[in-house]
Amino acid sequence: MIIQKSATPRIATFDPQNFSFGDTFTDHMIICEYENGKWGDVKLIPYGPLPFTPAMMGLNYGQACFEGMKAYKDDEGEVFLFRPEKNFERINKSASRLAMPEVTEEMFLGGLKALVDMDREWIPQGVGTSLYIRPLIFATEEVLKARISNKYMFAIVATPAKSYYTEPVSVLISDFYSRAASGGVGSAKAAGNYAASFYPTQLANQQGYEQVIWTDDSTHEYFEESGTMNVFVRINDTIYTPPTSEKILDGVTRDSFIHLAKRRGIEVRIEPVSVKKVIEAQKDGSLKEVWGVGTAVVTSVFRALGYKGEKLELPTLPLEESFALSLQQDLVNIQNNKSEDPFGWRMKVGKEVLQDA
């Protein structure tokens, strides 16, 4: 790995008590370029602009995918990643679906650890805060031809993070728009998936809802995801979540919630979740909770569902009665090294001496 430390680090200007998520970046980033059929050297360099043109193929034809993950700092100042091998597997699944070259484990995990180690001072300390990390792959060839690119860049950038949603949100069940279609790229973290979600979400916002629950593209009778999250439904004391598929992202937080729920002895049913069943459960009082999970948000509890012009209120449960909040607490405790890790999910990032090239 080629190391170039920043000559003008900005860490001294960072206030961990006063920052906004997503627009404050650490001092360094990882880049690696693909050309002539192979990846070059991984480079850790100062964060900043890169020289691209509007003719870059990633901008014009959408060959771009990414991952979202976090690093956590415990009470002793030790730093941990959470299940990074899952993100490594998924970014390559996304790259393959978009006809892009896969990255190696050494590139991904080695680059990740080096960046987190170099910029560990940027990781806020305390539950609810973390370092959000964005690995990405995108086409960089400068040519306007609708074909597979011959050049790519793998990069990793990072931004300090704090709680995404602090209050329960209202969500609109979509009866027209879908996040993904059969045979499409819904199971990949393709950049275009998110662009396509913005307009329906904007329409939901105009109706007083913060997010959308996406339904299937053919009948709109089944839950798929919610916003940029996987979705869970609790009816009585059973949790339901849709199975992953070519339309539904295999979320790391989703998988973690399933494991944690089963460890608590909660019944989890991974099966299609019908809109009709959820609405009926809300009417008869058996619908206890609906929530979304994802890396950035961890857990977003829903306070109301909008459907065909009706706003259906959901119960507000205290921590001791809420599956969503209890499982979130279990997850956060593991991530922040506040409890045992029975699954071996934490990966400690040691302090290395990284020298300039």
Side-chain angles (χ1 to χ4, degrees):
M1 180 180 295
I2 297 173
I3 307 293
Q4 181 188 345
K5 295 182 181 180
S6 173
T8 56
R10 293 168 286 104
I11 183 62
T13 67
F14 173 58
D15 180 359
Q17 306 302 320
N18 183 27
F19 68 94
S20 58
F21 171 74
D23 61 9
T24 302
F25 294 95
T26 67
D27 282 316
H28 299 88
M29 61 184 180
I30 293 288
I31 63 168
C32 183
E33 297 183 82
Y34 180 94
E35 190 173 2
N36 298 321
K38 62 181 181 180
W39 289 105
D41 293 325
V42 176
K43 301 175 182 178
L44 190 157
I45 64 174
Y47 175 83
L50 294 167
F52 298 120
T53 80
M56 184 175 73
M57 291 184 73
L59 293 177
N60 290 275
Y61 304 111
Q63 274 188 293
C65 67
F66 63 87
E67 276 299 314
M69 53 198 306
K70 288 181 176 179
Y72 304 85
K73 184 177 288 182
D74 70 8
D75 293 340
E76 305 303 318
E78 299 291 348
V79 173
F80 298 89
L81 295 169
F82 181 73
R83 306 188 73 181
E85 72 285 349
K86 297 286 286 183
N87 300 96
F88 167 66
E89 293 169 2
R90 195 171 62 183
I91 199 170
N92 278 338
K93 180 179 179 181
S94 298
S96 178
R97 178 62 182 84
L98 296 173
M100 298 193 294
E102 296 184 4
V103 297
T104 68
E105 185 172 6
E106 182 180 6
M107 286 170 59
F108 188 89
L109 293 180
L112 193 64
K113 290 178 181 178
L115 178 61
V116 170
D117 181 27
M118 178 69 79
D119 286 343
R120 62 174 55 231
E121 291 182 58
W122 285 88
I123 307 174
Q125 197 164 18
V127 174
T129 63
S130 58
L131 185 71
Y132 183 85
I133 309 164
R134 171 59 57 85
L136 62 159
I137 307 172
F138 53 97
T140 57
E141 187 177 357
E142 184 183 10
V143 60
L144 297 181
K145 294 181 179 180
R147 60 161 170 78
I148 296 171
S149 177
N150 291 312
K151 298 180 181 180
Y152 299 89
M153 177 170 285
F154 168 65
I156 309 176
V157 298
T159 175
K162 52 188 174 183
S163 296
Y164 207 82
Y165 296 117
T166 56
E167 299 294 334
V169 299
S170 298
V171 293
L172 180 66
I173 300 173
S174 176
D175 57 5
F176 179 76
Y177 292 102
S178 294
R179 175 185 172 274
S182 298
V185 293
S187 62
K189 280 189 76 71
N193 289 348
Y194 296 81
S197 74
F198 294 155
Y199 177 66
T201 303
Q202 183 182 56
L203 296 180
N205 295 161
Q206 292 169 1
Q207 297 180 56
Y209 295 92
E210 286 89 354
Q211 266 299 351
V212 174
I213 289 184
W214 306 108
T215 52
D216 66 288
D217 62 298
S218 56
T219 69
H220 297 287
E221 293 178 358
Y222 294 92
F223 281 20
E224 291 199 332
E225 293 190 13
S226 178
T228 58
M229 303 172 288
N230 293 112
V231 64
F232 286 83
V233 173
R234 174 187 172 187
I235 298 177
N236 290 320
D237 287 335
T238 300
I239 293 175
Y240 298 82
T241 192
T244 57
S245 67
E246 63 186 10
K247 297 189 292 180
I248 297 176
L249 193 69
D250 186 5
V252 178
T253 309
R254 170 190 177 275
D255 183 72
S256 303
F257 260 65
I258 291 170
H259 278 79
L260 291 167
K262 290 180 177 179
R263 187 168 186 264
R264 277 181 170 257
I266 299 170
E267 182 181 4
V268 180
R269 299 183 63 172
I270 303 172
E271 63 185 39
V273 178
S274 77
V275 176
K276 181 180 179 181
K277 180 176 182 176
V278 173
I279 299 303
E280 289 177 348
Q282 193 277 339
K283 300 287 188 182
D284 67 25
S286 60
L287 181 64
K288 304 301 182 184
E289 297 178 275
V290 185
W291 70 96
V293 301
T295 299
V297 65
V298 184
T299 307
S300 178
V301 176
F302 303 155
R303 66 169 178 261
L305 306 176
Y307 188 61
K308 294 190 179 299
E310 188 175 5
K311 192 168 188 177
L312 308 171
E313 301 293 334
L314 296 173
T316 300
L317 301 179
L319 172 62
E320 60 272 15
E321 297 178 20
S322 168
F323 286 0
L325 297 179
S326 296
L327 294 172
Q328 173 185 253
Q329 188 66 59
D330 290 348
L331 181 64
V332 167
N333 283 342
I334 292 175
Q335 291 171 332
N336 288 275
N337 196 28
K338 288 186 172 293
S339 69
E340 64 173 320
D341 179 11
F343 306 102
W345 287 341
R346 283 193 299 261
M347 179 182 289
K348 186 176 179 180
V349 179
K351 296 181 180 179
E352 304 292 337
V353 179
L354 300 176
Q355 301 292 341
D356 283 326

